[in-house]
Amino acid sequence: MKSITIKGSERESVGKKATKALRNAGLVPCVVYGGEKPLHFSAPELSFRDLVYTGAAHTVKVDLGEGKVKAIMQDIQFHPVTDKILHIDFYQLFDDKEVTMNIPVRLQGNSPGVRNGGRLLFRKRKLAIKALPDNLPDFFDIDISKLKIGDNITVESLLNDDFAILHPETTVVVQVKTARAAIVEEVEDEEGEEGVEGAEGAEGTDGAEAPAAGGTEAPAAEDKE
């Protein structure tokens, strides 16, 4: 997995006044957990641009001048109005200790089911996994070029000996379902044909009432996650 280096300074004070002063200076207060003791530091907000504003997953090397600490981002807080970064929590990585992380899913190819009028439902855009730091993948790449209407891809097809996926094997990641509009149009066509046949039957049975054409209600299409 790719790594981003964040250069910062260790925080001597962690009180509210000190934290507010850091934010006013354009710095983001951060904490690294998982070691012998929490490591408090701050870094310029622009330093986190490639870590926060991206769909990719990265590990982080926190550089405080006297050594680097390898970590992953665990939690982030934004200002409710300005969307400025208020605080970030990191978790320290060790080569021999497994860690849990959300890995993005990327879709590749074009689905023939979608070309035929189906609806692509992207159920899981990220998957939680547990692995050693060296075995963390950058992405899950899923080929949808063979997905027809009614087909799906589940977690079972993504299993790997290098990591454990923390979702049931039957969890659907992506699927192609019939679009509601296509179902309704098909049903209406069938009803029209049956109605014509019924009318002809009525004329041939001396005024006997023609049976009503049966129709089925189209199932509601499920929303994306």
Side-chain angles (χ1 to χ4, degrees), residues 162-197:
D162 290 337
F163 49 78
I165 301 179
L166 305 180
H167 301 273
E169 294 183 6
T170 55
T171 300
V172 174
V173 180
V174 60
Q175 64 184 143
V176 178
K177 299 195 71 175
T178 303
R180 180 182 178 88
I183 296 177
V184 172
E185 182 178 355
E186 181 180 351
V187 171
E188 289 176 347
D189 290 342
E190 291 178 355
E191 289 180 344
E193 292 175 359
E194 292 176 1
V196 171
E197 293 176 359

Side-chain angles (χ1 to χ4, degrees), residues 71-190:
I72 57 172
M73 185 173 66
Q74 287 286 90
D75 187 39
I76 184 170
Q77 298 175 15
F78 294 94
H79 191 281
V81 177
T82 65
D83 280 339
K84 291 178 67 68
I85 301 174
L86 296 179
H87 186 86
I88 301 179
D89 288 340
F90 293 92
Y91 187 81
Q92 187 171 350
L93 298 179
F94 298 93
D95 293 338
D96 59 349
K97 186 176 181 181
E98 290 185 325
V99 64
T100 299
M101 189 172 186
N102 290 323
I103 305 299
V105 177
R106 297 191 303 188
L107 304 183
Q108 298 182 332
N110 296 309
S111 165
V114 173
R115 293 198 299 270
N116 291 333
R119 180 183 177 191
L120 184 71
L121 299 180
F122 199 171
R123 298 292 189 187
K124 289 289 183 183
R125 296 179 181 271
K126 290 185 178 181
L127 293 174
I129 72 168
K130 188 174 184 179
L132 294 173
D134 290 342
N135 292 336
L136 291 171
D138 293 304
F139 296 95
F140 281 106
D141 287 325
I142 295 182
D143 183 9
I144 62 171
S145 60
K146 295 182 179 179
L147 279 186
K148 300 178 181 179
I149 294 177
D151 290 345
N152 62 55
I153 294 177
T154 64
V155 165
E156 184 178 9
S157 64
L158 305 175
L159 299 180
N160 192 297
D161 293 336
D162 290 337
F163 49 78
I165 301 179
L166 305 180
H167 301 273
E169 294 183 6
T170 55
T171 300
V172 174
V173 180
V174 60
Q175 64 184 143
V176 178
K177 299 195 71 175
T178 303
R180 180 182 178 88
I183 296 177
V184 172
E185 182 178 355
E186 181 180 351
V187 171
E188 289 176 347
D189 290 342
E190 291 178 355

Side-chain angles (χ1 to χ4, degrees), residues 6-122:
I6 303 294
K7 293 184 177 181
S9 302
E10 192 167 354
R11 296 162 58 193
E12 297 180 358
S13 177
V14 295
K16 291 184 178 180
K17 290 184 178 180
T19 299
K20 184 177 181 180
L22 288 173
R23 291 170 180 156
N24 290 338
L27 301 174
V28 178
C30 306
V31 184
V32 180
Y33 297 102
E36 294 182 0
K37 62 179 182 178
L39 175 62
H40 299 265
F41 74 97
S42 64
E45 186 173 7
L46 290 177
S47 302
F48 302 98
R49 179 182 56 189
D50 295 335
L51 174 66
V52 176
Y53 304 105
T54 177
H58 297 93
T59 58
V60 176
K61 290 181 180 178
V62 180
D63 185 356
L64 302 181
E66 298 180 355
K68 297 181 180 179
V69 176
K70 191 174 182 180
I72 57 172
M73 185 173 66
Q74 287 286 90
D75 187 39
I76 184 170
Q77 298 175 15
F78 294 94
H79 191 281
V81 177
T82 65
D83 280 339
K84 291 178 67 68
I85 301 174
L86 296 179
H87 186 86
I88 301 179
D89 288 340
F90 293 92
Y91 187 81
Q92 187 171 350
L93 298 179
F94 298 93
D95 293 338
D96 59 349
K97 186 176 181 181
E98 290 185 325
V99 64
T100 299
M101 189 172 186
N102 290 323
I103 305 299
V105 177
R106 297 191 303 188
L107 304 183
Q108 298 182 332
N110 296 309
S111 165
V114 173
R115 293 198 299 270
N116 291 333
R119 180 183 177 191
L120 184 71
L121 299 180
F122 199 171

